[in-house]
Amino acid sequence: MTRPAITFDMARARQVHDVLSNLIPGIGHPQPYNPLGVVTGSLFPIIVPVEEVLRGHVYGEVTSAVYVITDDAYTVRYVGSVDRSSPALRNRIRAHLAPGTIARQAWTGVGLIRVPDELRHEKVLLCEGWAGRALDPLDNIRLPLVGGRSWTPRRQAA
């Protein structure tokens, strides 16, 4: 039995906040202008076009975050993280989309889960692991261990 694809909507944003509440004190609820957690509008997580991130027009300042890649239907395709001392999201996504990697046309949007810049690297990876489990992405082949347990990628779970 295959797992159903997950849409990155407000219910999933709330689930991510609930899951990360023990790792990120003060994450609160997903809402506009919340400095932590899923970047949201009034009704939905904000998904920006991948091309805008690649051009540096959006999220050019991001040094530490968990990112969610979606397709045109807001289906979660990939979950990853960046944790650098300088802006890194643009280069990280560009590396994913290098020739011979993921089909570029499937990855159209980027959602962001903000974490504190001073969060330890191990905690950023835990945030990625927990968010990935909540969002169960279609294209990841692995996620960081959480609680000593690995995640089963969809290709192996089917």
Side-chain angles (χ1 to χ4, degrees), residues 128-150:
E128 176 189 348
W130 282 115
R133 280 157 180 77
L135 298 173
D136 199 22
L138 296 175
D139 296 333
N140 281 69
I141 55 172
R142 69 179 171 276
L143 288 166
L145 293 174
V146 292
R149 300 185 69 184
S150 61

Side-chain angles (χ1 to χ4, degrees), residues 19-81:
V19 166
L20 298 183
S21 64
N22 289 330
L23 294 171
I24 304 175
I27 192 171
H29 300 287
Q31 58 190 346
Y33 312 112
N34 187 347
L36 297 173
V38 178
V39 176
T40 63
S42 57
L43 298 174
F44 300 101
I46 294 175
I47 306 295
V48 299
V50 167
E51 292 302 323
E52 293 297 307
V53 176
L54 292 176
R55 288 186 193 115
H57 297 166
V58 182
Y59 299 143
E61 80 290 354
V62 173
T63 58
S64 293
V66 174
Y67 56 93
V68 180
I69 305 291
T70 66
D71 60 20
D72 287 334
Y74 303 114
T75 301
V76 177
R77 303 297 308 207
Y78 189 87
V79 174
S81 66

Side-chain angles (χ1 to χ4, degrees), residues 59-141:
Y59 299 143
E61 80 290 354
V62 173
T63 58
S64 293
V66 174
Y67 56 93
V68 180
I69 305 291
T70 66
D71 60 20
D72 287 334
Y74 303 114
T75 301
V76 177
R77 303 297 308 207
Y78 189 87
V79 174
S81 66
V82 291
D83 183 30
R84 307 281 194 280
S85 58
S86 61
L89 184 60
R90 175 181 177 183
N91 289 337
R92 189 71 191 112
I93 292 173
R94 184 174 281 139
H96 286 304
L97 297 173
T101 59
I102 300 296
R104 188 180 191 115
Q105 63 273 17
W107 288 21
T108 60
V110 179
L112 197 66
I113 303 167
R114 292 196 180 271
V115 300
D117 286 335
E118 66 278 359
L119 199 63
R120 289 189 352 257
H121 180 71
E122 297 79 20
K123 286 236 181 177
V124 174
L125 290 176
L126 278 174
C127 289
E128 176 189 348
W130 282 115
R133 280 157 180 77
L135 298 173
D136 199 22
L138 296 175
D139 296 333
N140 281 69
I141 55 172

